[in-house]
Amino acid sequence: MKVLLISPPREKPVFADFPPMGLAYLAGTLKKSGIDVKVVDAASYSWNILEKCVCSHDFDIAGVTCWTIEREQAFLTTNLIKECKPDAKIIVGGQHATAFPEHMFTLTEADVVVLGEGEETFLELIQTLRDENSLLSVDGIVYRENGEIRRTNPRPFIEDLDTLPFPSYEDFDFTLYNGLPEVNESCAALITSRGCPYKCIFCSSTVFWGKKWRARSVENIMREMKFLNQRFRLRTFFFFDDTFVADKERVIKLCQMIIEDNFKIKWACCGRVNQVDEEILYWMKNAGCYRIDYGVESGSPRILRNIKKGITVEQIKKAFKLSHHVGILPRAYLMVGNPGENEESIMETIRLMKEIEPYNSSGGGQLLWVLPNTELYETMKERRLISDGFWLENMGTCFYTAEHSLEDLEKLMDKTWKKARLLSVKEKLLPFKEGGISNVIIFGASESGGIVFDVCKKIGINVAAFSDNNKKKQGSVFMNRPIIPLSKIEDYNPDGIIIGSAAYQEELYKQVKNLCNCNVIKVIKVFL
């Protein structure tokens, strides 16, 4: 019995930040039980390349991940599999498949849908198919049989996450992934906990992973990091948990173990502002943490209450102040278009950002998505603004439009966020222009870098964009502007270099310093 697991192509082919962890976990679980499995990450593939890949593989069962965003890519992938291998069984999993399993049998060529947390279910399903036993015995699936859709008993969540095998990365080349933009080396992501006890109205994580927070032991986490270091020579990690800092004692113990083992690594994580204090951040910094991503969402107390975020503006201010104090870059995730949003609430967010000075490589706010299995989605249904049938007939992203049209929300963003960011960058650059700097180079290919690039042009500073040839994610163009290879920097004689606060950009500056004699403009806070 051979299994092929596929992460579908993106709508616009692009190298992902990390390998698909869900499929890597499934592969690790199957391999431990002696099942032949291969994983294909097709994020950067064209459909022609994926077709050749699928048709060239010998497999009996295919597994496909289906997320709500870009869900049509998963549907098209199942169709392609069926065309290449008509006799293969197709299994679909992921958050969208879990939310609407019955839809999968209308929209895809699926034979079975795995619901929620998949390792135990998928393994048992493969073994049952191999042994030709009844699928009714497999908990946690929905399947099609003789024209009928059958749903089995729910499967309990995995209580002891230490029992799971480590993800299998044998089918991935870490050098092809973007990783962490501030660190100029390959990086792996780790999931050290699952589940979330909070009640944010926009988040579907609690349905997929459960409301109970379940965590791996620090010993188990250390073993995985050491394995990744020894097997793939990795020294940079991103903890992908929704709430990595939920257990202060666990985090401090892990940090102490990293320090005691003299394990020289760099890492970043996600966290909640109400779960950090100076002690935990101190240990994190000393153990190699350089960035923490906080879900701020809004600077308006009223909006934070509306979305049931469970945090306050004062907690946001304190967390960012402490993060800056210990030397960890604090990043802010923001949303625009929340229930109750208006121009004043957005201005409250902008004022808060100016005060807390977040480190953001992309900045701005994201329009609020509406995802299935969320309180926000149920509110939209109650107001008859959406129904479950929407997902059968539409393939685009659903935004929260109960109070503002999508067009009005986009105008609101243009009027507030974009204007504020442009003015802020202009304020930072004008003193250098007035000081006689007229020819600069800028590193990187981020949205924020694009804004700086445009502002330089508008105020009369000549600017050229450079990238590091070793960064596989960099292309020949960023934000529709040409990128010049770092190797060509000797052809330029700038009187200024614009860099961000990112560690790898600091390293690039040191390289460039020997090639050209110029001043340094540090635009550390491009966001606002």
Side-chain angles (χ1 to χ4, degrees), residues 35-271:
I35 294 172
D36 188 341
V37 57
K38 182 172 179 59
V39 186
V40 172
D41 183 2
S44 63
Y45 286 15
S46 67
W47 288 108
N48 286 338
I49 292 175
L50 180 60
E51 181 179 9
K52 291 178 182 177
C53 175
V54 171
C55 291
S56 66
H57 279 90
D58 178 25
F59 60 93
D60 308 289
I61 298 172
V64 179
T65 303
C66 182
W67 301 94
T68 298
I69 305 302
E70 298 193 6
R71 56 195 174 278
E72 187 178 18
Q73 301 301 99
F75 305 160
L76 295 173
T77 299
T78 67
N79 295 341
L80 186 152
I81 294 168
K82 184 57 70 174
E83 290 174 7
C84 289
K85 304 284 184 178
D87 296 329
K89 293 287 185 182
I90 299 176
I91 302 169
V92 178
Q95 294 204 344
H96 195 73
T98 296
F100 298 112
E102 289 81 6
H103 289 189
M104 298 301 105
F105 302 109
T106 300
L107 298 169
T108 79
E109 295 290 342
D111 296 291
V112 185
V113 173
V114 170
L115 304 176
E117 194 171 51
E119 290 86 358
E120 292 182 347
T121 304
F122 198 80
L123 172 61
E124 186 178 341
L125 174 59
I126 298 301
Q127 293 170 333
T128 301
L129 289 170
R130 179 194 62 196
D131 299 337
E132 299 183 351
N133 292 328
S134 171
L135 296 183
L136 273 175
S137 63
V138 181
D139 291 342
I141 64 171
V142 179
Y143 65 99
R144 177 165 43 192
E145 185 177 69
N146 299 324
E148 294 186 13
I149 307 300
R150 302 177 183 271
R151 182 187 288 256
T152 65
N153 295 326
R155 181 178 294 272
F157 290 107
I158 300 168
E159 286 296 324
D160 185 1
L161 297 180
D162 283 3
T163 61
L164 289 174
F166 295 152
S168 173
Y169 292 114
E170 300 304 321
D171 294 321
F172 307 112
D173 180 352
F174 280 102
T175 66
L176 297 179
Y177 290 89
N178 296 331
L180 294 168
E182 305 88 355
V183 182
N184 192 24
E185 58 184 66
S186 297
C187 173
L190 288 87
I191 298 176
T192 75
S193 64
R194 296 178 180 180
C196 179
Y198 291 93
K199 301 176 181 178
C200 304
I201 67 171
F202 54 85
C203 182
S204 61
S205 175
T206 54
V207 173
F208 193 86
W209 297 114
K211 295 179 180 180
K212 179 182 177 182
W213 187 74
R214 298 163 288 141
R216 295 165 56 187
S217 67
V218 295
E219 293 81 7
N220 185 262
I221 299 167
M222 279 293 292
R223 281 197 296 273
E224 182 178 1
M225 288 195 294
K226 289 290 186 69
F227 166 75
L228 289 168
N229 174 255
Q230 294 165 7
R231 175 66 181 82
F232 300 104
R233 314 309 300 171
L234 299 176
R235 297 180 303 163
T236 306
F237 304 98
F238 181 62
F239 294 109
F240 216 61
D241 313 36
D242 290 330
T243 52
F244 175 73
V245 295
D247 185 340
K248 176 180 175 180
E249 188 175 309
R250 184 185 79 125
V251 173
I252 291 177
K253 183 179 178 183
L254 176 62
C255 292
Q256 290 173 336
M257 192 174 292
I258 291 171
I259 295 168
E260 290 169 3
D261 282 9
N262 198 31
F263 192 29
K264 301 297 183 181
I265 60 174
K266 296 177 182 178
W267 54 278
C269 67
C270 298

Side-chain angles (χ1 to χ4, degrees), residues 322-510:
L322 289 173
S323 299
H324 284 302
H325 176 69
V326 302
I328 295 177
L329 298 171
R331 193 175 182 183
Y333 288 127
L334 301 165
M335 299 189 305
V336 176
N338 296 293
E341 193 85 271
N342 55 32
E343 189 170 333
E344 174 54 31
S345 65
I346 294 178
M347 290 308 300
E348 285 182 279
T349 304
I350 290 174
R351 287 193 290 269
L352 177 64
M353 294 302 105
K354 288 182 178 179
E355 180 176 347
I356 66 176
E357 300 181 334
Y359 163 77
N360 275 53
S361 59
S362 58
Q366 175 182 287
L367 288 178
L368 177 59
W369 292 339
V370 178
L371 300 175
N373 281 338
T374 64
E375 182 179 331
L376 188 66
Y377 177 63
E378 295 305 317
T379 298
M380 291 274 284
K381 286 173 65 176
E382 289 171 7
R383 297 185 183 184
R384 298 186 178 180
L385 295 170
I386 197 171
S387 69
D388 290 349
F390 170 88
W391 310 100
L392 284 169
E393 302 164 359
N394 298 274
M395 297 302 158
T397 302
C398 178
F399 297 98
Y400 180 67
T401 55
E403 300 167 37
H404 304 279
S405 68
L406 183 59
E407 181 181 4
D408 287 344
L409 285 172
E410 290 172 342
K411 288 180 180 178
L412 197 59
M413 285 189 69
D414 285 337
K415 187 177 180 179
T416 52
W417 283 111
K418 293 183 180 179
K419 182 179 179 181
R421 295 174 71 197
L422 286 169
L423 287 174
S424 178
V425 174
K426 186 176 180 180
E427 288 173 1
K428 289 184 175 71
L429 294 179
L430 273 176
F432 297 103
K433 163 72 173 176
E434 294 166 357
I437 290 177
S438 59
N439 187 31
V440 302
I441 57 175
I442 180 171
F443 289 133
S446 67
E447 180 186 349
S448 297
I451 289 174
V452 177
F453 190 104
D454 288 344
V455 171
C456 284
K457 289 285 189 181
K458 288 180 180 178
I459 66 176
I461 296 178
N462 296 320
V463 59
F466 284 80
S467 74
D468 178 3
N469 289 333
N470 295 324
K471 294 293 287 183
K472 293 293 191 292
K473 68 175 181 177
Q474 309 288 23
S476 59
V477 173
F478 92 102
M479 304 294 290
N480 297 317
R481 304 163 187 87
I483 281 188
I484 302 164
L486 188 59
S487 59
K488 300 290 185 180
I489 200 168
E490 293 181 73
D491 298 339
Y492 289 78
N493 186 28
D495 50 25
I497 302 174
I498 298 177
I499 62 174
S501 59
Y504 87 85
Q505 293 189 7
E506 294 278 8
E507 294 170 5
L508 284 177
Y509 167 63
K510 292 175 184 177

Side-chain angles (χ1 to χ4, degrees), residues 22-35:
L23 297 187
Y25 261 108
L26 291 182
T29 300
L30 296 185
K31 286 181 179 180
K32 185 179 179 181
S33 294
I35 294 172

